[in-house]
Amino acid sequence: MSVPFPRHAVIREVGLRDGLQSIRTILPTASKEAWIRGAYAAGLRELEVGSFVPAHLLPQLADTAQLVAFARTLPGLFVSVLVPNLRGAQDALASGADLMLVPLSASHAHSLANLRKTPDEVVAEVARIRAARDASGAKTLIEGGVGTAFGCTLQGHVDPDEVLRLMQALLDAGADRVSLADTVGYADPHMVRELFARAVDIAGDRFWCGHFHDTRGLGLANVHAALETGVTRFDACLAGIGGCPHAPGASGNVTTEDLAYMLGSMGIDTGIDIGRLLALREDVAGWLKDETLHGTLWRAGLPKTFPAQPAGAAA
Amino acid sequence: MSVPFPRHAVIREVGLRDGLQSIRTILPTASKEAWIRGAYAAGLRELEVGSFVPAHLLPQLADTAQLVAFARTLPGLFVSVLVPNLRGAQDALASGADLMLVPLSASHAHSLANLRKTPDEVVAEVARIRAARDASGAKTLIEGGVGTAFGCTLQGHVDPDEVLRLMQALLDAGADRVSLADTVGYADPHMVRELFARAVDIAGDRFWCGHFHDTRGLGLANVHAALETGVTRFDACLAGIGGCPHAPGASGNVTTEDLAYMLGSMGIDTGIDIGRLLALREDVAGWLKDETLHGTLWRAGLPKTFPAQPAGAAA
């Protein structure tokens, strides 16, 4: 029972990408820059600031290049973007982003519906992205993110063996990092423990991140299960924005402030100042006042005893 | 990493007690009986139906004896009540309840404020309750529930050693069962794993139940951590009612339907039909339409793949 928890973990704030792409409000660039500045001030050091996709598809994210440029002015901030294909990767390389995440959907049905490619066609695109990156001399890391890793609203069951085959294929194609995403909120802690343990065995240090949605309330329980497999980086959105088009009103990504509280309470250092994070949440709530927000800590506040763990409790 | 999860777990629905005592709506007895009937139809086999406290203190629960009598008509239903003292225990013994939960607060400040007794005075009362139970010949089990086991809004820190000392004292005083409660939502999975592992070592099979509040969003993560220590019984409230007077709008107990979904998805049998549980939630929402409800599953619905685990996955 004494599985050691890590001493440190990283929260990658993805609200500016996964959050904003799923809601109706189009946030002005100035507000997004204030969000980036606030997140940085609160101690977050990894942000996904947007996607390099055609502006007519996601007008919410049309200012991604500008946001990367702004974020790069903040010392020590690691700046990620999402790219769906080689065209987007070229934009990402030009922008100077530190990392580009290429999403792959392990569900063939979801992959064809969302990306109009089979998963293996995405793997082939990653090989081309790797070649382009290497040819450019840029240091931008390539992360292959395997989505619908725990099931899919279209296809239903997704075979864990197929998820891991595709993850291995991404590594073989030249992805520097790989991650797993519960895109539709189907995971439970048992599934997470099983799949993440196998994924970490395969990818070792190249296993980068766990991406969980809180669609059915299990987001933080799933993070807890993933922590037990040694994973120490998690995506999250301030105020839990994002949602799921298939479940109106359902919450989106794991909520940054609740996750920061859980990790902090467990004695796992994230470098985050939760008071500042809650202040930023208030700003975000003001900018997104027509959207349904999520999260719990903002209502209840921090416990009187926080941080609760004596130094060294997380051995 | 391969800590086995249990095959079976029990959810004790405590909405009729912990939920209703914390909200303003006074539910008519007929609705409470419909709740009991609905919970039974959904497969729940343990219910806490009320408290034997003076009616002027908790008018919401004044019909507890009637509810015990009604619940006892349902074959195989295990009926619990809360009793704060010997007077209440005598009522519980007369009612024929299967179990009476005597709450003790490990926080001395909370104990004095809420129960007007020190924790050790509660232990002494449990000894008197045990004597009365044995003298009566009744089979009603005595559960000593140690609350504020992870901290307290009044006192702040609560020493785990003191929590376990009081738990041992309850056993020594004649409690048949003991349990731990995170009364104010201060627990995290690390604390739960540490404290529950020690509690199970001490109490063995007499360790009965984990009672978590979702005040800061960690309810299900904490249940997950407790499962890993071998605990297989958890309190929960339909629609997460209960809240906390110190945190307006904050959620209350772990939500029954979300917990049933998590356990079911993990391949842990609870005997619960989640579809029926969600139908009951709709009834409860109708009865409590002026109250803030919680929970996530009711919005998103069950995954297409549920139940996701192949038989035997939870070894």
Side-chain angles (χ1 to χ4, degrees), chain A residues 104-314:
Chain A
L104 174 153
S105 190
S107 154
H108 288 235
H110 188 268
S111 186
L112 290 171
N114 267 37
L115 304 166
R116 274 174 250 144
K117 287 179 191 147
T118 65
D120 289 289
E121 284 167 354
V122 175
V123 171
E125 190 80 352
V126 166
R128 286 187 284 272
I129 290 171
R130 172 64 187 254
R133 193 277 308 271
D134 290 351
S136 77
K139 291 194 174 134
T140 306
L141 291 174
I142 300 164
E143 173 180 348
V146 183
T148 62
F150 297 92
C152 163
T153 46
L154 301 174
Q155 172 180 319
H157 183 68
V158 173
D159 184 352
D161 291 339
E162 174 67 355
V163 171
L164 297 173
R165 178 188 75 79
L166 289 163
M167 196 188 78
Q168 180 67 64
L170 285 166
L171 291 166
D172 295 343
D176 305 293
R177 303 283 185 266
V178 286
S179 54
L180 294 178
D182 178 25
T183 312
V184 297
Y186 273 24
D188 68 55
H190 182 78
M191 294 186 215
V192 170
R193 190 201 275 178
E194 298 286 311
L195 189 63
F196 273 56
R198 291 175 67 192
V200 170
D201 275 351
I202 291 168
D205 286 348
R206 292 192 289 171
F207 192 88
W208 191 241
C209 194
H211 178 104
F212 296 107
H213 282 250
D214 199 38
T215 319
R216 290 169 182 81
L218 307 193
L220 292 180
N222 289 336
V223 168
H224 176 244
L227 279 169
E228 294 183 321
T229 68
V231 173
T232 58
R233 181 178 278 96
F234 300 97
D235 286 344
C237 281
L238 261 167
I241 60 170
C244 171
H246 306 287
S251 51
N253 283 267
V254 167
T255 300
T256 305
E257 60 273 21
D258 289 6
L259 175 56
Y261 160 62
M262 182 174 87
L263 295 171
S265 181
M266 292 173 74
I268 299 171
D269 176 40
T270 61
I272 292 173
D273 177 328
I274 294 182
R276 287 189 173 202
L277 203 59
L278 289 172
L280 175 60
R281 188 199 194 275
E282 270 190 54
D283 293 338
V284 170
W287 300 329
L288 302 178
K289 49 183 171 306
D290 297 328
E291 305 292 343
T292 304
L293 305 182
H294 301 279
T296 307
L297 182 69
W298 72 278
R299 281 213 192 86
L302 286 168
K304 208 166 185 166
T305 48
F306 185 86
Q309 299 298 318

Side-chain angles (χ1 to χ4, degrees), chain B residues 5 34 44 47 54 60 76 100 118 149 188 211 221 229-230 237 246 262 264 286 300 313:
Chain B
F5 288 114
L44 285 157
L47 300 180
Q60 301 96 314
M100 48 188 169
T118 66
D188 69 54
H211 179 104
T229 67
C237 281
H246 306 286
M262 182 174 87

Side-chain angles (χ1 to χ4, degrees), chain B residues 173-249:
Chain B
D176 305 294
R177 303 283 185 267
V178 287
S179 54
L180 294 177
D182 178 26
T183 311
V184 297
Y186 273 24
D188 69 54
H190 182 77
M191 296 186 214
V192 171
R193 189 201 275 179
E194 299 286 310
L195 189 63
F196 273 58
R198 293 176 65 193
V200 170
D201 275 351
I202 291 168
D205 287 347
R206 292 192 289 170
F207 192 88
W208 190 241
C209 194
H211 179 104
F212 297 107
H213 282 249
D214 199 37
T215 318
R216 291 170 181 82
L218 307 193
L220 292 180
N222 290 335
V223 168
H224 176 243
L227 279 169
E228 295 183 321
T229 67
V231 173
T232 58
R233 181 178 278 96
F234 300 96
D235 285 345
C237 281
L238 261 167
I241 60 171
C244 171
H246 306 286

